[in-house]
Every structure is written in structure tokens, then in C-alpha cells.
Amino acid sequence: ELKVEQNPLFLSMQEGKNYTIYCNYSTTSDRLYWYRQDPGKSLESLFVLLSNGAVKQEGRLMASLDTKARLSTLHITAAVHDLSATYFCAVDRNGGSQGNLIFGKGTKLSVKP
Amino acid sequence: DTGVSQDPRHKITKRGQNVTFRCDPISEHNRLYWYRQTLGQGPEFLTYFQNEAQLEKSRLLSDRFSAERPKGSFSTLEIQRTEQGDSAMYLCASSLVQGGEAFFGQGTRLTVV
């Protein structure tokens, strides 16, 4: 069974702290996506990681991909309240770029002052 | 606004009624996807089109669900004889064939009473 597992599912952080969200997947996909979702809103694309060893950074978020370990990480640096949201990772079911994505259950991040 | 547009944003219907949702993708995108998201879960893939061809529909939840994209532009998702379990957010996304990054619309929230 194809699976995408995120850890942790809930994360409460203090502002200014660092933390990492983990995404393990069971397919052979070499492409992984990270999305952000605010309550009641749609999904915003954060990162597309296209190959083994890919690392992308945007502001306080940095994502990396290890296709051999089938693991991606989303690292949060010096968290601020505006980062509070649910973060999803996803891979293509067919291992390519056909858009038939399998999503994890999401990590609900709450950043407190 | 040149993003993915969905209509309506909210729909309340009585059990047993039929409902239809519309999605207008980003204009140059030839791939269009439908997902369903229930509370506390990641989006679940339903079907996708490349231009007007429906290339994957085996994951539509039952034969009560159908989707069309007759002219390769906008798409509709119909649910016949709605059930309370159909209550969810229905998300549409679009992408280019090459690249695969999917951009999501705001979603249609369906409530079946």
C-alpha cells in the first residue's frame, strides 16, 4: 500500500525556536511537494523537490529530499506566528509528475508567543 | 485573478439531491485534477484530465461521482444522490504537462444535510 507519513501530526512551538517536520513515503518517486494550508483555505505550493539531495529555502522554511531514504524534511528556523498553518507533503502515486498525488495527513503547526 | 477558480465556494444540499461543481483552471494549464479533503485529512485524489481526455478515473469514490471537461478548459464534478458522507471540501488543481507542480483553487465546501 502506498503511504505518505508525516511526523509529528501536531506541533506547538514557541516563537524563535527551530523544529523539523519529517515526511516518509513508500513509493519510488523522485519528486516531492510541500504545501501549506491555512484554516478553511486551499493549498499553497511551498516547494517542489525534483531530485535526490535537492534543498530549497524560502524565508524561515527549508525543505530537503533524500530519495534513497524516501525522506523529506521541512525545517523551520526561528518560528514566527505567521507560520501557524497545516503543512502537507505529497508524492506522485506513479512516481512521476502526473499529478496523481498522495498526501500525508498534514502537520498542524501552532506558533505561540 | 489568474489562479484556479472554483464555483460555488459553499454548497448545502439535502441528502439525495444532485450537485455540480465547476472549476476553471489557469488558462495555459492543460492538466486539471479533482481532489476531496475531509476534516483533518490530506487531500485525496479523485480524477484528472489532460485537455479534454479523462486519463484516470478509477479513484472516483463511487459511480455517483462523475467529472467532465468537454472542451479542455473548465471542468465539472457532479455527485448524484448525495449522502452525508459526501460532505467535504472538493478541490480542483491545474498544472502544465511538463513540471507537474499543481496549483489549487479555493475549493467548494459541500455540506449534505
Side-chain angles (χ1 to χ4, degrees), chain A residues 31 35 37 42 45 88 93 97-101 103-104, chain B residues 31 33 35 37 42-43 45 59 99 101-102 104-105:
Chain A
R31 184 180 296 236
Y35 287 89
Q37 187 174 39
S42 190
S45 178
F88 292 96
R93 185 180 303 275
S97 61
Q98 295 180 6
N100 182 344
L101 298 179
F103 282 81
Chain B
R31 285 194 175 170
Y33 316 89
Y35 286 81
Q37 186 178 23
F45 173 85
R59 299 197 174 269
E101 182 181 4
F104 283 79

mmCIF file with all atom_site columns, all heavy atoms in Angstrom, chain A residues 31 35 37 42 45 88 93 97-101 103-104, chain B residues 31 33 35 37 42-43 45 59 99 101-102 104-105:
data_model
loop_
_atom_site.group_PDB
_atom_site.id
_atom_site.type_symbol
_atom_site.label_atom_id
_atom_site.label_alt_id
_atom_site.label_comp_id
_atom_site.label_asym_id
_atom_site.label_entity_id
_atom_site.label_seq_id
_atom_site.pdbx_PDB_ins_code
_atom_site.Cartn_x
_atom_site.Cartn_y
_atom_site.Cartn_z
_atom_site.occupancy
_atom_site.B_iso_or_equiv
_atom_site.pdbx_formal_charge
_atom_site.auth_seq_id
_atom_site.auth_comp_id
_atom_site.auth_asym_id
_atom_site.auth_atom_id
_atom_site.pdbx_PDB_model_num
ATOM 1   N N   . ARG A 1 31  ? 10.256  12.918 -6.783  1.00 0.00 ? 31  ARG A N   1
ATOM 2   C CA  . ARG A 1 31  ? 9.713   14.272 -6.793  1.00 0.00 ? 31  ARG A CA  1
ATOM 3   C C   . ARG A 1 31  ? 8.780   14.391 -5.594  1.00 0.00 ? 31  ARG A C   1
ATOM 4   O O   . ARG A 1 31  ? 7.922   13.538 -5.383  1.00 0.00 ? 31  ARG A O   1
ATOM 5   C CB  . ARG A 1 31  ? 8.951   14.486 -8.091  1.00 0.00 ? 31  ARG A CB  1
ATOM 6   C CG  . ARG A 1 31  ? 8.390   15.853 -8.315  1.00 0.00 ? 31  ARG A CG  1
ATOM 7   C CD  . ARG A 1 31  ? 7.665   15.877 -9.631  1.00 0.00 ? 31  ARG A CD  1
ATOM 8   N NE  . ARG A 1 31  ? 8.587   15.640 -10.746 1.00 0.00 ? 31  ARG A NE  1
ATOM 9   C CZ  . ARG A 1 31  ? 8.737   16.454 -11.778 1.00 0.00 ? 31  ARG A CZ  1
ATOM 10  N NH1 . ARG A 1 31  ? 8.036   17.566 -11.812 1.00 0.00 ? 31  ARG A NH1 1
ATOM 11  N NH2 . ARG A 1 31  ? 9.549   16.162 -12.765 1.00 0.00 ? 31  ARG A NH2 1
ATOM 12  N N   . TYR A 1 35  ? 3.133   21.631 0.711   1.00 0.00 ? 35  TYR A N   1
ATOM 13  C CA  . TYR A 1 35  ? 2.060   22.610 0.617   1.00 0.00 ? 35  TYR A CA  1
ATOM 14  C C   . TYR A 1 35  ? 1.749   23.145 2.013   1.00 0.00 ? 35  TYR A C   1
ATOM 15  O O   . TYR A 1 35  ? 1.921   22.450 3.013   1.00 0.00 ? 35  TYR A O   1
ATOM 16  C CB  . TYR A 1 35  ? 0.778   21.990 0.042   1.00 0.00 ? 35  TYR A CB  1
ATOM 17  C CG  . TYR A 1 35  ? 0.823   21.689 -1.426  1.00 0.00 ? 35  TYR A CG  1
ATOM 18  C CD1 . TYR A 1 35  ? 1.283   20.458 -1.886  1.00 0.00 ? 35  TYR A CD1 1
ATOM 19  C CD2 . TYR A 1 35  ? 0.387   22.621 -2.361  1.00 0.00 ? 35  TYR A CD2 1
ATOM 20  C CE1 . TYR A 1 35  ? 1.316   20.167 -3.240  1.00 0.00 ? 35  TYR A CE1 1
ATOM 21  C CE2 . TYR A 1 35  ? 0.411   22.339 -3.718  1.00 0.00 ? 35  TYR A CE2 1
ATOM 22  C CZ  . TYR A 1 35  ? 0.876   21.116 -4.150  1.00 0.00 ? 35  TYR A CZ  1
ATOM 23  O OH  . TYR A 1 35  ? 0.905   20.843 -5.492  1.00 0.00 ? 35  TYR A OH  1
ATOM 24  N N   . GLN A 1 37  ? -1.509  24.963 4.206   1.00 0.00 ? 37  GLN A N   1
ATOM 25  C CA  . GLN A 1 37  ? -2.945  25.223 4.198   1.00 0.00 ? 37  GLN A CA  1
ATOM 26  C C   . GLN A 1 37  ? -3.331  25.965 5.465   1.00 0.00 ? 37  GLN A C   1
ATOM 27  O O   . GLN A 1 37  ? -3.088  25.477 6.577   1.00 0.00 ? 37  GLN A O   1
ATOM 28  C CB  . GLN A 1 37  ? -3.751  23.918 4.080   1.00 0.00 ? 37  GLN A CB  1
ATOM 29  C CG  . GLN A 1 37  ? -5.236  24.156 3.895   1.00 0.00 ? 37  GLN A CG  1
ATOM 30  C CD  . GLN A 1 37  ? -5.999  22.868 3.631   1.00 0.00 ? 37  GLN A CD  1
ATOM 31  O OE1 . GLN A 1 37  ? -5.705  21.838 4.226   1.00 0.00 ? 37  GLN A OE1 1
ATOM 32  N NE2 . GLN A 1 37  ? -6.986  22.918 2.739   1.00 0.00 ? 37  GLN A NE2 1
ATOM 33  N N   . SER A 1 42  ? -7.491  26.993 0.785   1.00 0.00 ? 42  SER A N   1
ATOM 34  C CA  . SER A 1 42  ? -6.944  25.974 -0.095  1.00 0.00 ? 42  SER A CA  1
ATOM 35  C C   . SER A 1 42  ? -5.446  25.775 0.163   1.00 0.00 ? 42  SER A C   1
ATOM 36  O O   . SER A 1 42  ? -4.901  26.306 1.120   1.00 0.00 ? 42  SER A O   1
ATOM 37  C CB  . SER A 1 42  ? -7.190  26.365 -1.548  1.00 0.00 ? 42  SER A CB  1
ATOM 38  O OG  . SER A 1 42  ? -6.869  25.283 -2.400  1.00 0.00 ? 42  SER A OG  1
ATOM 39  N N   . SER A 1 45  ? 1.278   26.130 -2.712  1.00 0.00 ? 45  SER A N   1
ATOM 40  C CA  . SER A 1 45  ? 2.510   25.399 -3.002  1.00 0.00 ? 45  SER A CA  1
ATOM 41  C C   . SER A 1 45  ? 3.696   26.112 -2.371  1.00 0.00 ? 45  SER A C   1
ATOM 42  O O   . SER A 1 45  ? 3.889   27.311 -2.548  1.00 0.00 ? 45  SER A O   1
ATOM 43  C CB  . SER A 1 45  ? 2.708   25.309 -4.514  1.00 0.00 ? 45  SER A CB  1
ATOM 44  O OG  . SER A 1 45  ? 3.916   24.640 -4.815  1.00 0.00 ? 45  SER A OG  1
ATOM 45  N N   . PHE A 1 88  ? 1.525   20.057 4.455   1.00 0.00 ? 88  PHE A N   1
ATOM 46  C CA  . PHE A 1 88  ? 1.370   18.737 3.842   1.00 0.00 ? 88  PHE A CA  1
ATOM 47  C C   . PHE A 1 88  ? 2.550   18.449 2.930   1.00 0.00 ? 88  PHE A C   1
ATOM 48  O O   . PHE A 1 88  ? 3.008   19.327 2.194   1.00 0.00 ? 88  PHE A O   1
ATOM 49  C CB  . PHE A 1 88  ? 0.107   18.678 2.980   1.00 0.00 ? 88  PHE A CB  1
ATOM 50  C CG  . PHE A 1 88  ? -1.176  18.759 3.739   1.00 0.00 ? 88  PHE A CG  1
ATOM 51  C CD1 . PHE A 1 88  ? -1.840  19.960 3.895   1.00 0.00 ? 88  PHE A CD1 1
ATOM 52  C CD2 . PHE A 1 88  ? -1.750  17.617 4.281   1.00 0.00 ? 88  PHE A CD2 1
ATOM 53  C CE1 . PHE A 1 88  ? -3.049  20.042 4.591   1.00 0.00 ? 88  PHE A CE1 1
ATOM 54  C CE2 . PHE A 1 88  ? -2.952  17.679 4.976   1.00 0.00 ? 88  PHE A CE2 1
ATOM 55  C CZ  . PHE A 1 88  ? -3.588  18.897 5.127   1.00 0.00 ? 88  PHE A CZ  1
ATOM 56  N N   . ARG A 1 93  ? 1.678   9.335  -7.101  1.00 0.00 ? 93  ARG A N   1
ATOM 57  C CA  . ARG A 1 93  ? 1.391   7.904  -6.939  1.00 0.00 ? 93  ARG A CA  1
ATOM 58  C C   . ARG A 1 93  ? 2.174   7.054  -7.934  1.00 0.00 ? 93  ARG A C   1
ATOM 59  O O   . ARG A 1 93  ? 2.587   5.944  -7.634  1.00 0.00 ? 93  ARG A O   1
ATOM 60  C CB  . ARG A 1 93  ? -0.110  7.661  -7.138  1.00 0.00 ? 93  ARG A CB  1
ATOM 61  C CG  . ARG A 1 93  ? -0.567  6.238  -6.888  1.00 0.00 ? 93  ARG A CG  1
ATOM 62  C CD  . ARG A 1 93  ? -2.065  6.116  -7.109  1.00 0.00 ? 93  ARG A CD  1
ATOM 63  N NE  . ARG A 1 93  ? -2.819  7.038  -6.260  1.00 0.00 ? 93  ARG A NE  1
ATOM 64  C CZ  . ARG A 1 93  ? -3.171  6.783  -5.011  1.00 0.00 ? 93  ARG A CZ  1
ATOM 65  N NH1 . ARG A 1 93  ? -2.862  5.626  -4.470  1.00 0.00 ? 93  ARG A NH1 1
ATOM 66  N NH2 . ARG A 1 93  ? -3.839  7.671  -4.300  1.00 0.00 ? 93  ARG A NH2 1
ATOM 67  N N   . SER A 1 97  ? 5.351   12.742 -12.647 1.00 0.00 ? 97  SER A N   1
ATOM 68  C CA  . SER A 1 97  ? 4.802   14.081 -12.484 1.00 0.00 ? 97  SER A CA  1
ATOM 69  C C   . SER A 1 97  ? 3.396   14.155 -13.050 1.00 0.00 ? 97  SER A C   1
ATOM 70  O O   . SER A 1 97  ? 3.018   15.130 -13.663 1.00 0.00 ? 97  SER A O   1
ATOM 71  C CB  . SER A 1 97  ? 5.703   15.102 -13.174 1.00 0.00 ? 97  SER A CB  1
ATOM 72  O OG  . SER A 1 97  ? 5.767   14.814 -14.570 1.00 0.00 ? 97  SER A OG  1
ATOM 73  N N   . GLN A 1 98  ? 2.639   13.104 -12.849 1.00 0.00 ? 98  GLN A N   1
ATOM 74  C CA  . GLN A 1 98  ? 1.315   13.050 -13.447 1.00 0.00 ? 98  GLN A CA  1
ATOM 75  C C   . GLN A 1 98  ? 0.248   13.712 -12.608 1.00 0.00 ? 98  GLN A C   1
ATOM 76  O O   . GLN A 1 98  ? -0.888  13.813 -13.020 1.00 0.00 ? 98  GLN A O   1
ATOM 77  C CB  . GLN A 1 98  ? 0.940   11.599 -13.721 1.00 0.00 ? 98  GLN A CB  1
ATOM 78  C CG  . GLN A 1 98  ? 1.849   10.962 -14.763 1.00 0.00 ? 98  GLN A CG  1
ATOM 79  C CD  . GLN A 1 98  ? 1.469   9.515  -15.023 1.00 0.00 ? 98  GLN A CD  1
ATOM 80  O OE1 . GLN A 1 98  ? 0.483   9.020  -14.522 1.00 0.00 ? 98  GLN A OE1 1
ATOM 81  N NE2 . GLN A 1 98  ? 2.278   8.842  -15.801 1.00 0.00 ? 98  GLN A NE2 1
ATOM 82  N N   . GLY A 1 99  ? 0.612   14.142 -11.426 1.00 0.00 ? 99  GLY A N   1
ATOM 83  C CA  . GLY A 1 99  ? -0.340  14.896 -10.629 1.00 0.00 ? 99  GLY A CA  1
ATOM 84  C C   . GLY A 1 99  ? -1.289  14.065 -9.806  1.00 0.00 ? 99  GLY A C   1
ATOM 85  O O   . GLY A 1 99  ? -2.151  14.603 -9.128  1.00 0.00 ? 99  GLY A O   1
ATOM 86  N N   . ASN A 1 100 ? -1.165  12.758 -9.859  1.00 0.00 ? 100 ASN A N   1
ATOM 87  C CA  . ASN A 1 100 ? -1.980  11.897 -9.006  1.00 0.00 ? 100 ASN A CA  1
ATOM 88  C C   . ASN A 1 100 ? -1.249  11.789 -7.673  1.00 0.00 ? 100 ASN A C   1
ATOM 89  O O   . ASN A 1 100 ? -0.481  10.867 -7.433  1.00 0.00 ? 100 ASN A O   1
ATOM 90  C CB  . ASN A 1 100 ? -2.142  10.528 -9.665  1.00 0.00 ? 100 ASN A CB  1
ATOM 91  C CG  . ASN A 1 100 ? -3.007  9.587  -8.855  1.00 0.00 ? 100 ASN A CG  1
ATOM 92  O OD1 . ASN A 1 100 ? -3.264  9.816  -7.684  1.00 0.00 ? 100 ASN A OD1 1
ATOM 93  N ND2 . ASN A 1 100 ? -3.452  8.529  -9.498  1.00 0.00 ? 100 ASN A ND2 1
ATOM 94  N N   . LEU A 1 101 ? -1.458  12.818 -6.854  1.00 0.00 ? 101 LEU A N   1
ATOM 95  C CA  . LEU A 1 101 ? -0.662  12.959 -5.641  1.00 0.00 ? 101 LEU A CA  1
ATOM 96  C C   . LEU A 1 101 ? -1.260  12.212 -4.473  1.00 0.00 ? 101 LEU A C   1
ATOM 97  O O   . LEU A 1 101 ? -2.482  12.160 -4.291  1.00 0.00 ? 101 LEU A O   1
ATOM 98  C CB  . LEU A 1 101 ? -0.539  14.441 -5.271  1.00 0.00 ? 101 LEU A CB  1
ATOM 99  C CG  . LEU A 1 101 ? 0.169   15.337 -6.293  1.00 0.00 ? 101 LEU A CG  1
ATOM 100 C CD1 . LEU A 1 101 ? 0.192   16.775 -5.797  1.00 0.00 ? 101 LEU A CD1 1
ATOM 101 C CD2 . LEU A 1 101 ? 1.567   14.845 -6.574  1.00 0.00 ? 101 LEU A CD2 1
ATOM 102 N N   . PHE A 1 103 ? -1.135  12.499 -0.478  1.00 0.00 ? 103 PHE A N   1
ATOM 103 C CA  . PHE A 1 103 ? -0.777  13.451 0.560   1.00 0.00 ? 103 PHE A CA  1
ATOM 104 C C   . PHE A 1 103 ? -0.618  12.748 1.900   1.00 0.00 ? 103 PHE A C   1
ATOM 105 O O   . PHE A 1 103 ? -1.300  11.760 2.194   1.00 0.00 ? 103 PHE A O   1
ATOM 106 C CB  . PHE A 1 103 ? -1.875  14.512 0.704   1.00 0.00 ? 103 PHE A CB  1
ATOM 107 C CG  . PHE A 1 103 ? -1.851  15.568 -0.349  1.00 0.00 ? 103 PHE A CG  1
ATOM 108 C CD1 . PHE A 1 103 ? -2.406  15.335 -1.593  1.00 0.00 ? 103 PHE A CD1 1
ATOM 109 C CD2 . PHE A 1 103 ? -1.278  16.804 -0.095  1.00 0.00 ? 103 PHE A CD2 1
ATOM 110 C CE1 . PHE A 1 103 ? -2.392  16.315 -2.576  1.00 0.00 ? 103 PHE A CE1 1
ATOM 111 C CE2 . PHE A 1 103 ? -1.255  17.791 -1.067  1.00 0.00 ? 103 PHE A CE2 1
ATOM 112 C CZ  . PHE A 1 103 ? -1.815  17.538 -2.307  1.00 0.00 ? 103 PHE A CZ  1
ATOM 113 N N   . GLY A 1 104 ? 0.256   13.296 2.717   1.00 0.00 ? 104 GLY A N   1
ATOM 114 C CA  . GLY A 1 104 ? 0.287   12.911 4.122   1.00 0.00 ? 104 GLY A CA  1
ATOM 115 C C   . GLY A 1 104 ? -0.908  13.505 4.842   1.00 0.00 ? 104 GLY A C   1
ATOM 116 O O   . GLY A 1 104 ? -1.680  14.282 4.269   1.00 0.00 ? 104 GLY A O   1
ATOM 117 N N   . ARG B 2 31  ? -3.571  20.308 -17.739 1.00 0.00 ? 31  ARG B N   1
ATOM 118 C CA  . ARG B 2 31  ? -3.965  19.250 -16.807 1.00 0.00 ? 31  ARG B CA  1
ATOM 119 C C   . ARG B 2 31  ? -4.847  19.828 -15.711 1.00 0.00 ? 31  ARG B C   1
ATOM 120 O O   . ARG B 2 31  ? -4.571  20.916 -15.189 1.00 0.00 ? 31  ARG B O   1
ATOM 121 C CB  . ARG B 2 31  ? -2.746  18.581 -16.190 1.00 0.00 ? 31  ARG B CB  1
ATOM 122 C CG  . ARG B 2 31  ? -2.054  17.641 -17.160 1.00 0.00 ? 31  ARG B CG  1
ATOM 123 C CD  . ARG B 2 31  ? -1.087  16.760 -16.450 1.00 0.00 ? 31  ARG B CD  1
ATOM 124 N NE  . ARG B 2 31  ? -0.516  15.774 -17.371 1.00 0.00 ? 31  ARG B NE  1
ATOM 125 C CZ  . ARG B 2 31  ? 0.483   14.991 -17.082 1.00 0.00 ? 31  ARG B CZ  1
ATOM 126 N NH1 . ARG B 2 31  ? 1.044   15.069 -15.885 1.00 0.00 ? 31  ARG B NH1 1
ATOM 127 N NH2 . ARG B 2 31  ? 0.942   14.122 -17.949 1.00 0.00 ? 31  ARG B NH2 1
ATOM 128 N N   . TYR B 2 33  ? -7.136  18.560 -12.148 1.00 0.00 ? 33  TYR B N   1
ATOM 129 C CA  . TYR B 2 33  ? -7.293  17.491 -11.163 1.00 0.00 ? 33  TYR B CA  1
ATOM 130 C C   . TYR B 2 33  ? -8.427  17.830 -10.212 1.00 0.00 ? 33  TYR B C   1
ATOM 131 O O   . TYR B 2 33  ? -8.652  18.992 -9.882  1.00 0.00 ? 33  TYR B O   1
ATOM 132 C CB  . TYR B 2 33  ? -6.023  17.323 -10.323 1.00 0.00 ? 33  TYR B CB  1
ATOM 133 C CG  . TYR B 2 33  ? -4.738  17.351 -11.108 1.00 0.00 ? 33  TYR B CG  1
ATOM 134 C CD1 . TYR B 2 33  ? -4.080  18.551 -11.362 1.00 0.00 ? 33  TYR B CD1 1
ATOM 135 C CD2 . TYR B 2 33  ? -4.177  16.178 -11.583 1.00 0.00 ? 33  TYR B CD2 1
ATOM 136 C CE1 . TYR B 2 33  ? -2.904  18.581 -12.074 1.00 0.00 ? 33  TYR B CE1 1
ATOM 137 C CE2 . TYR B 2 33  ? -2.988  16.205 -12.294 1.00 0.00 ? 33  TYR B CE2 1
ATOM 138 C CZ  . TYR B 2 33  ? -2.361  17.406 -12.542 1.00 0.00 ? 33  TYR B CZ  1
ATOM 139 O OH  . TYR B 2 33  ? -1.190  17.426 -13.248 1.00 0.00 ? 33  TYR B OH  1
ATOM 140 N N   . TYR B 2 35  ? -9.713  16.748 -6.299  1.00 0.00 ? 35  TYR B N   1
ATOM 141 C CA  . TYR B 2 35  ? -9.384  16.103 -5.033  1.00 0.00 ? 35  TYR B CA  1
ATOM 142 C C   . TYR B 2 35  ? -10.536 16.327 -4.064  1.00 0.00 ? 35  TYR B C   1
ATOM 143 O O   . TYR B 2 35  ? -11.293 17.282 -4.177  1.00 0.00 ? 35  TYR B O   1
ATOM 144 C CB  . TYR B 2 35  ? -8.126  16.703 -4.400  1.00 0.00 ? 35  TYR B CB  1
ATOM 145 C CG  . TYR B 2 35  ? -6.828  16.317 -5.059  1.00 0.00 ? 35  TYR B CG  1
ATOM 146 C CD1 . TYR B 2 35  ? -6.392  16.965 -6.206  1.00 0.00 ? 35  TYR B CD1 1
ATOM 147 C CD2 . TYR B 2 35  ? -6.027  15.316 -4.518  1.00 0.00 ? 35  TYR B CD2 1
ATOM 148 C CE1 . TYR B 2 35  ? -5.199  16.608 -6.810  1.00 0.00 ? 35  TYR B CE1 1
ATOM 149 C CE2 . TYR B 2 35  ? -4.826  14.961 -5.107  1.00 0.00 ? 35  TYR B CE2 1
ATOM 150 C CZ  . TYR B 2 35  ? -4.421  15.614 -6.255  1.00 0.00 ? 35  TYR B CZ  1
ATOM 151 O OH  . TYR B 2 35  ? -3.225  15.263 -6.840  1.00 0.00 ? 35  TYR B OH  1
ATOM 152 N N   . GLN B 2 37  ? -11.153 16.598 0.211   1.00 0.00 ? 37  GLN B N   1
ATOM 153 C CA  . GLN B 2 37  ? -10.486 16.692 1.503   1.00 0.00 ? 37  GLN B CA  1
ATOM 154 C C   . GLN B 2 37  ? -11.518 16.690 2.616   1.00 0.00 ? 37  GLN B C   1
ATOM 155 O O   . GLN B 2 37  ? -12.412 17.536 2.644   1.00 0.00 ? 37  GLN B O   1
ATOM 156 C CB  . GLN B 2 37  ? -9.630  17.961 1.594   1.00 0.00 ? 37  GLN B CB  1
ATOM 157 C CG  . GLN B 2 37  ? -8.791  18.026 2.864   1.00 0.00 ? 37  GLN B CG  1
ATOM 158 C CD  . GLN B 2 37  ? -7.908  19.250 2.921   1.00 0.00 ? 37  GLN B CD  1
ATOM 159 O OE1 . GLN B 2 37  ? -8.163  20.256 2.280   1.00 0.00 ? 37  GLN B OE1 1
ATOM 160 N NE2 . GLN B 2 37  ? -6.828  19.158 3.694   1.00 0.00 ? 37  GLN B NE2 1
ATOM 161 N N   . GLY B 2 42  ? -5.404  14.848 4.634   1.00 0.00 ? 42  GLY B N   1
ATOM 162 C CA  . GLY B 2 42  ? -4.865  15.437 3.427   1.00 0.00 ? 42  GLY B CA  1
ATOM 163 C C   . GLY B 2 42  ? -5.810  15.230 2.254   1.00 0.00 ? 42  GLY B C   1
ATOM 164 O O   . GLY B 2 42  ? -6.698  14.380 2.308   1.00 0.00 ? 42  GLY B O   1
ATOM 165 N N   . PRO B 2 43  ? -5.643  16.004 1.188   1.00 0.00 ? 43  PRO B N   1
ATOM 166 C CA  . PRO B 2 43  ? -6.480  15.820 0.006   1.00 0.00 ? 43  PRO B CA  1
ATOM 167 C C   . PRO B 2 43  ? -6.336  14.408 -0.556  1.00 0.00 ? 43  PRO B C   1
ATOM 168 O O   . PRO B 2 43  ? -5.260  13.813 -0.509  1.00 0.00 ? 43  PRO B O   1
ATOM 169 C CB  . PRO B 2 43  ? -5.935  16.864 -0.970  1.00 0.00 ? 43  PRO B CB  1
ATOM 170 C CG  . PRO B 2 43  ? -5.299  17.899 -0.114  1.00 0.00 ? 43  PRO B CG  1
ATOM 171 C CD  . PRO B 2 43  ? -4.725  17.141 1.041   1.00 0.00 ? 43  PRO B CD  1
ATOM 172 N N   . PHE B 2 45  ? -6.936  12.159 -4.003  1.00 0.00 ? 45  PHE B N   1
ATOM 173 C CA  . PHE B 2 45  ? -7.082  12.272 -5.455  1.00 0.00 ? 45  PHE B CA  1
ATOM 174 C C   . PHE B 2 45  ? -8.346  11.559 -5.926  1.00 0.00 ? 45  PHE B C   1
ATOM 175 O O   . PHE B 2 45  ? -8.635  10.432 -5.514  1.00 0.00 ? 45  PHE B O   1
ATOM 176 C CB  . PHE B 2 45  ? -5.851  11.677 -6.129  1.00 0.00 ? 45  PHE B CB  1
ATOM 177 C CG  . PHE B 2 45  ? -5.930  11.582 -7.623  1.00 0.00 ? 45  PHE B CG  1
ATOM 178 C CD1 . PHE B 2 45  ? -5.588  12.660 -8.417  1.00 0.00 ? 45  PHE B CD1 1
ATOM 179 C CD2 . PHE B 2 45  ? -6.353  10.410 -8.242  1.00 0.00 ? 45  PHE B CD2 1
ATOM 180 C CE1 . PHE B 2 45  ? -5.655  12.572 -9.799  1.00 0.00 ? 45  PHE B CE1 1
ATOM 181 C CE2 . PHE B 2 45  ? -6.430  10.314 -9.619  1.00 0.00 ? 45  PHE B CE2 1
ATOM 182 C CZ  . PHE B 2 45  ? -6.072  11.405 -10.401 1.00 0.00 ? 45  PHE B CZ  1
ATOM 183 N N   . ARG B 2 59  ? -10.227 6.261  -9.273  1.00 0.00 ? 59  ARG B N   1
ATOM 184 C CA  . ARG B 2 59  ? -10.280 6.629  -7.865  1.00 0.00 ? 59  ARG B CA  1
ATOM 185 C C   . ARG B 2 59  ? -11.487 7.494  -7.521  1.00 0.00 ? 59  ARG B C   1
ATOM 186 O O   . ARG B 2 59  ? -11.577 8.010  -6.388  1.00 0.00 ? 59  ARG B O   1
ATOM 187 C CB  . ARG B 2 59  ? -8.979  7.310  -7.453  1.00 0.00 ? 59  ARG B CB  1
ATOM 188 C CG  . ARG B 2 59  ? -7.813  6.365  -7.639  1.00 0.00 ? 59  ARG B CG  1
ATOM 189 C CD  . ARG B 2 59  ? -6.566  6.741  -6.914  1.00 0.00 ? 59  ARG B CD  1
ATOM 190 N NE  . ARG B 2 59  ? -5.599  5.664  -7.069  1.00 0.00 ? 59  ARG B NE  1
ATOM 191 C CZ  . ARG B 2 59  ? -5.482  4.646  -6.226  1.00 0.00 ? 59  ARG B CZ  1
ATOM 192 N NH1 . ARG B 2 59  ? -6.253  4.578  -5.155  1.00 0.00 ? 59  ARG B NH1 1
ATOM 193 N NH2 . ARG B 2 59  ? -4.596  3.705  -6.427  1.00 0.00 ? 59  ARG B NH2 1
ATOM 194 N N   . GLY B 2 99  ? 6.521   19.565 -15.759 1.00 0.00 ? 99  GLY B N   1
ATOM 195 C CA  . GLY B 2 99  ? 6.717   20.307 -14.500 1.00 0.00 ? 99  GLY B CA  1
ATOM 196 C C   . GLY B 2 99  ? 5.917   19.742 -13.372 1.00 0.00 ? 99  GLY B C   1
ATOM 197 O O   . GLY B 2 99  ? 6.448   19.438 -12.311 1.00 0.00 ? 99  GLY B O   1
ATOM 198 N N   . GLU B 2 101 ? 3.916   20.794 -11.143 1.00 0.00 ? 101 GLU B N   1
ATOM 199 C CA  . GLU B 2 101 ? 3.502   21.488 -9.931  1.00 0.00 ? 101 GLU B CA  1
ATOM 200 C C   . GLU B 2 101 ? 2.046   21.883 -10.072 1.00 0.00 ? 101 GLU B C   1
ATOM 201 O O   . GLU B 2 101 ? 1.660   22.565 -11.021 1.00 0.00 ? 101 GLU B O   1
ATOM 202 C CB  . GLU B 2 101 ? 4.365   22.710 -9.681  1.00 0.00 ? 101 GLU B CB  1
ATOM 203 C CG  . GLU B 2 101 ? 4.002   23.448 -8.392  1.00 0.00 ? 101 GLU B CG  1
ATOM 204 C CD  . GLU B 2 101 ? 4.855   24.667 -8.160  1.00 0.00 ? 101 GLU B CD  1
ATOM 205 O OE1 . GLU B 2 101 ? 5.680   24.986 -9.035  1.00 0.00 ? 101 GLU B OE1 1
ATOM 206 O OE2 . GLU B 2 101 ? 4.699   25.312 -7.115  1.00 0.00 ? 101 GLU B OE2 1
ATOM 207 N N   . ALA B 2 102 ? 1.234   21.429 -9.150  1.00 0.00 ? 102 ALA B N   1
ATOM 208 C CA  . ALA B 2 102 ? -0.198  21.683 -9.216  1.00 0.00 ? 102 ALA B CA  1
ATOM 209 C C   . ALA B 2 102 ? -0.564  22.882 -8.358  1.00 0.00 ? 102 ALA B C   1
ATOM 210 O O   . ALA B 2 102 ? -0.131  22.996 -7.218  1.00 0.00 ? 102 ALA B O   1
ATOM 211 C CB  . ALA B 2 102 ? -0.967  20.451 -8.740  1.00 0.00 ? 102 ALA B CB  1
ATOM 212 N N   . PHE B 2 104 ? -3.722  24.886 -6.654  1.00 0.00 ? 104 PHE B N   1
ATOM 213 C CA  . PHE B 2 104 ? -5.062  24.551 -6.189  1.00 0.00 ? 104 PHE B CA  1
ATOM 214 C C   . PHE B 2 104 ? -5.970  25.769 -6.166  1.00 0.00 ? 104 PHE B C   1
ATOM 215 O O   . PHE B 2 104 ? -5.532  26.893 -5.892  1.00 0.00 ? 104 PHE B O   1
ATOM 216 C CB  . PHE B 2 104 ? -4.992  23.953 -4.784  1.00 0.00 ? 104 PHE B CB  1
ATOM 217 C CG  . PHE B 2 104 ? -4.531  22.524 -4.761  1.00 0.00 ? 104 PHE B CG  1
ATOM 218 C CD1 . PHE B 2 104 ? -3.191  22.210 -4.867  1.00 0.00 ? 104 PHE B CD1 1
ATOM 219 C CD2 . PHE B 2 104 ? -5.453  21.490 -4.672  1.00 0.00 ? 104 PHE B CD2 1
ATOM 220 C CE1 . PHE B 2 104 ? -2.759  20.880 -4.863  1.00 0.00 ? 104 PHE B CE1 1
ATOM 221 C CE2 . PHE B 2 104 ? -5.042  20.166 -4.662  1.00 0.00 ? 104 PHE B CE2 1
ATOM 222 C CZ  . PHE B 2 104 ? -3.694  19.866 -4.761  1.00 0.00 ? 104 PHE B CZ  1
ATOM 223 N N   . GLY B 2 105 ? -7.245  25.507 -6.421  1.00 0.00 ? 105 GLY B N   1
ATOM 224 C CA  . GLY B 2 105 ? -8.273  26.511 -6.236  1.00 0.00 ? 105 GLY B CA  1
ATOM 225 C C   . GLY B 2 105 ? -8.682  26.605 -4.786  1.00 0.00 ? 105 GLY B C   1
ATOM 226 O O   . GLY B 2 105 ? -8.168  25.887 -3.920  1.00 0.00 ? 105 GLY B O   1
#
